[in-house]
Amino acid sequence: MSEPEQTKTVRADAEAQQNTATTVIAPAYVPACPGAGKTHVITNRHLQSPRRLLRQGRALISFTRVARDQMARRCRQAGRADLVQAPHFIGTLDSFLWEFLVKPRRPAEPVPRLLDSWASIKAPVPGTDREISLHRFPMALHPSHDPAREEVVWNNLDYDTRQLIEASAYDRMAWQEKIFATRKSLCQQGYFTGHEARLLALWNLHNAEASAKLLPPLRSRFAEIVVDEAQDCSAADLAILQLLHDAGLPLILVGDPDQAIYAWRGAEPHALANFAARLSHTPHRLTGNWRSSPVICHLAATLRTGQRPPDTSVMRDDDIPVLLLPTRFATSGSRHLHSPTGDNIVDAFRARAEEYAIEAKDCLVTAYRYATLPGIAREKPNTNAITSLAWARTAVHTTGASSDDLARACATAIRALFGYWYPGETGGLDRITAAHRLSAGQIYRTAFAFLHSLPAPHKEWGPQVWQAMKAWPPLPGAAPQGSKGRLAGKPTLPRSQPATGIRTNIVHQLKGDEADGVLLLLPDLGSVQRWATSDPATDEVLRVWYVAVTRARRLAAIALPEEEINALAQLLDGRQVPVRIT
């Protein structure tokens, strides 16, 4: 068979798989490799819906607003704006649970509100000897899925919070009692996060009276529920979906267990596999990769379970080998050097990408941890307030900062200023804003101007911030009380953006992203041994690396300690993956 004919055959096979997944009858499970066109399949399935139905809509559920917006946009571009309206639903899992399984059972007053996290409002845990915000305490449902049993996941505390708890005179049981009491008080004020939405959804589905009122409208409205990125479902999510399935709601699950990288919130590949087996005995696989080159497909196959053959590259014929870059990693900070040249590793990667006609704007550098990653200062979760404000100040002074980063920076400054100006008022910023008749434009302009006026963060930055807060013209209704609202502690200083023109981000923030060239930083000795001997089914780190390399379209590069280079080259060569040490 000639090469053009072979290409046509490969494409025809991949399209046939997509067509099968588009028309499969629910309930069904669709395992999809990276670059398989999941969004294309899901949207095409939705576009088959007849027009002007009062009932029998479809719910398209994802885990991110980006995926939600992409599906809605494709429907509108196809001239089917009706498909983003009732009886259909396109949204995140949090919003689906909230709208259909929680909110209908909540009292009208106070108005129930779903928050992205407790960091969205002023929520300190009172009655202790340390001031720690509620959002810094991760909570989890008991493995029994009993919504009445939950616990603080102490092992998942960030370093700063763990240090504060260890220095406290209160033990963990006392802290947990205060934490849950604080959360209960906020829920009574009408505030909930996705975690509470799951608890309440489970509670309502297990309760005969509540489920009798919630489930019939769902069965009447939805002929099908499609869950995208199903590998990100936690045990609680799968328990809810199981109850919906048992209630007669047809489910379609689309996902890739090899990309399950959120174990900290309870997402595990085996849990999805077990649920999918109960849902459908015949998976409808998508193995055609429309994103990556054959080399990258072969590389990815070395990092996944079951020793399955590589996925099929549908659109690309690039034969660029995997680049292995010997690197001297910094013991602190992120100035990692390319061993042969002494250049910054990002600059070295950019130079090699240019050899293959890949521009810097089409490149991406990623790592498992923020601490490894060179690049723009990023807002890390669970930091103290002064560190969050330092990040916000850096963001507004960063050329090319995204609109999302600027919006989050202003929201951070608003929380700090409101904590000082309105110390006696609890709850969300929206209620304080409404009580004093403040406009969104007014408070965001104030926040941006305040951030822009602050000096660059340094170790003794706190007193300067305090003086600036006291001197700044207050908004209407402000009533400061002494030192209430003063930000305690010292900031962890953010790093500045190197002038490389290359995007950087940790792997956990890259779902749905892609680039022509991707550099994965592996600073730890023993990475090659892990690659060779660990099982991705039980080792989440390997799945993280898998997600990283499958973001690449044409070029995958790996930076690792120079003493590990030859071992990885031999490992990949033994698995028919072409490599170049450079």
Side-chain angles (χ1 to χ4, degrees):
M1 184 183 299
S2 67
E3 188 170 331
E5 291 175 341
Q6 184 177 4
T7 300
K8 289 181 181 179
T9 300
V10 167
R11 180 165 184 163
D13 290 345
E15 288 176 343
Q17 288 182 342
Q18 290 184 333
N19 291 336
T20 299
T22 299
T23 57
V24 65
I25 298 174
Y29 172 47
V30 181
C33 74
K38 293 189 289 79
T39 303
H40 172 79
V41 167
I42 293 170
T43 306
N44 278 359
R45 185 179 185 88
H46 197 36
L47 288 170
Q48 294 178 357
S49 303
R51 296 178 184 270
R52 295 184 295 276
L53 283 182
L54 295 179
R55 289 287 185 271
Q56 299 301 290
R58 178 181 285 107
L60 304 186
I61 299 172
S62 187
F63 279 83
T64 67
R65 294 186 180 94
V66 173
R68 173 202 65 188
D69 294 344
Q70 186 178 14
M71 290 187 287
R73 183 170 58 253
R74 291 192 180 187
C75 288
R76 292 190 180 97
Q77 289 172 343
R80 295 297 306 274
D82 60 298
L83 294 180
V84 303
Q85 302 166 358
H88 307 290
F89 173 88
I90 300 179
T92 63
L93 181 59
D94 281 6
S95 62
F96 178 85
L97 299 179
W98 179 253
E99 289 296 328
F100 299 109
L101 296 178
V102 177
K103 194 175 178 181
R105 300 290 296 172
R106 304 309 304 166
E109 293 293 337
V111 177
R113 287 178 169 84
L114 179 64
L115 307 173
D116 287 338
S117 81
W118 291 121
S120 303
I121 63 174
K122 294 166 60 179
V125 177
T128 62
D129 56 355
R130 297 289 186 276
E131 184 172 317
I132 309 177
S133 295
L134 183 62
H135 76 274
R136 297 174 71 176
F137 294 100
M139 304 177 200
L141 193 63
H142 190 272
S144 67
H145 307 148
D146 180 352
R149 300 176 65 186
E150 59 175 325
E151 54 200 20
V152 174
V153 187
W154 298 105
N155 291 339
N156 286 354
L157 293 184
D158 65 272
Y159 176 80
D160 291 339
T161 305
R162 188 164 59 249
Q163 294 294 104
L164 289 170
I165 294 296
E166 289 176 356
S168 171
Y170 292 78
D171 62 20
R172 288 184 173 183
M173 290 303 296
W175 268 101
Q176 182 158 295
E177 181 180 343
K178 300 289 186 182
I179 290 164
F180 285 139
T182 302
R183 197 267 305 273
K184 180 179 180 180
S185 173
L186 290 167
C187 289
Q188 289 171 343
Q189 298 175 50
Y191 293 106
F192 304 87
T193 72
H195 175 71
E196 287 71 42
R198 284 159 173 76
L199 293 179
L200 292 169
L202 280 170
W203 183 273
N204 288 336
L205 289 172
H206 281 298
N207 181 276
E209 179 185 355
S211 62
K213 294 181 178 179
L214 292 171
L215 291 174
L218 276 178
R219 284 193 293 261
S220 175
R221 176 167 175 172
F222 296 119
E224 181 175 283
I225 296 174
V226 182
V227 182
D228 188 20
E229 302 289 1
Q231 76 278 352
D232 293 339
C233 287
S234 67
D237 296 335
L238 292 177
I240 292 169
L241 292 176
Q242 179 69 63
L243 291 169
L244 294 179
H245 173 66
D246 293 344
L249 282 154
L251 301 180
I252 300 283
L253 266 59
V254 185
D256 181 2
D258 294 310
Q259 295 189 63
I261 60 173
Y262 298 106
W264 58 270
R265 68 185 187 200
E268 294 287 355
H270 67 84
L272 173 61
N274 292 339
F275 179 65
R278 296 193 298 271
L279 195 68
S280 171
H281 294 298
T282 306
H284 300 271
R285 294 189 178 276
L286 298 177
T287 60
N289 187 324
W290 299 73
R291 174 192 300 152
S292 301
S293 71
V295 171
I296 295 168
C297 289
H298 278 75
L299 172 65
T302 69
L303 285 166
R304 67 184 186 188
T305 58
Q307 296 184 336
R308 305 193 307 277
D311 299 316
T312 304
S313 178
V314 179
M315 295 294 291
R316 300 193 177 278
D317 58 3
D318 300 89
D319 58 358
I320 303 173
V322 176
L323 302 187
L324 304 184
L325 279 63
T327 306
R328 295 196 300 274
F329 286 92
T331 54
S332 62
S334 58
R335 184 163 176 76
H336 314 310
L337 301 179
H338 182 233
S339 298
T341 64
D343 294 335
N344 182 293
I345 190 61
V346 178
D347 291 331
F349 170 59
R350 180 178 60 179
R352 279 140 191 82
E354 289 175 350
E355 295 176 15
Y356 299 103
I358 299 174
E359 299 180 24
K361 64 182 180 63
D362 297 320
C363 289
L364 174 66
V365 176
T366 189
Y368 184 81
R369 293 182 293 268
Y370 276 110
T372 303
L373 191 66
I376 189 172
R378 300 210 175 262
E379 183 185 22
K380 300 180 185 180
N382 302 325
T383 55
N384 58 25
I386 192 72
T387 293
S388 293
L389 194 68
W391 167 82
R393 190 273 179 197
T394 303
V396 302
H397 281 270
T398 297
T399 302
S402 69
S403 58
D404 285 345
D405 277 348
L406 293 177
R408 287 195 296 271
C410 287
T412 298
I414 291 168
R415 287 195 294 270
L417 290 169
F418 276 26
Y420 170 59
W421 285 336
Y422 309 104
E425 301 186 38
T426 60
L429 303 180
D430 54 343
R431 290 185 178 169
I432 297 175
T433 299
H436 297 284
R437 299 182 179 179
L438 306 173
S439 70
Q442 181 183 19
I443 61 175
Y444 273 86
R445 284 192 298 271
T446 298
F448 185 88
F450 173 73
L451 285 172
H452 205 272
S453 73
L454 293 175
H458 54 87
K459 288 296 184 182
E460 303 301 326
W461 192 55
Q464 289 182 299
V465 171
W466 177 234
Q467 293 303 318
M469 291 173 68
K470 291 192 295 181
W472 200 260
L475 291 174
Q481 297 177 15
S483 61
K484 288 187 177 181
R486 181 171 184 171
L487 304 184
K490 296 182 179 182
T492 300
L493 301 182
R495 300 190 301 272
S496 298
Q497 165 81 352
T500 63
I502 293 178
R503 291 183 294 130
T504 65
N505 215 332
I506 60 168
V507 181
H508 290 82
Q509 299 296 324
L510 293 182
K511 284 294 189 71
D513 203 349
E514 59 185 64
D516 279 353
V518 173
L519 171 64
L520 171 62
L521 304 177
L522 298 182
D524 299 327
L525 292 174
S527 294
V528 178
Q529 179 70 12
R530 186 173 206 154
W531 195 319
T533 61
S534 290
D535 182 1
T538 56
D539 190 341
E540 187 184 51
V541 172
L542 294 185
R543 301 197 297 271
V544 170
W545 298 349
Y546 175 82
V547 170
V549 300
T550 56
R551 301 309 93 192
R553 290 188 286 257
R554 299 179 55 212
L555 167 65
I558 301 169
L560 65 166
E562 48 192 329
E563 54 265 49
E564 299 241 307
I565 285 287
N566 289 333
L568 183 56
Q570 292 174 9
L571 171 66
L572 296 181
D573 184 66
R575 301 188 186 183
Q576 289 74 54
V577 180
V579 299
R580 171 192 169 195
I581 299 175
T582 177

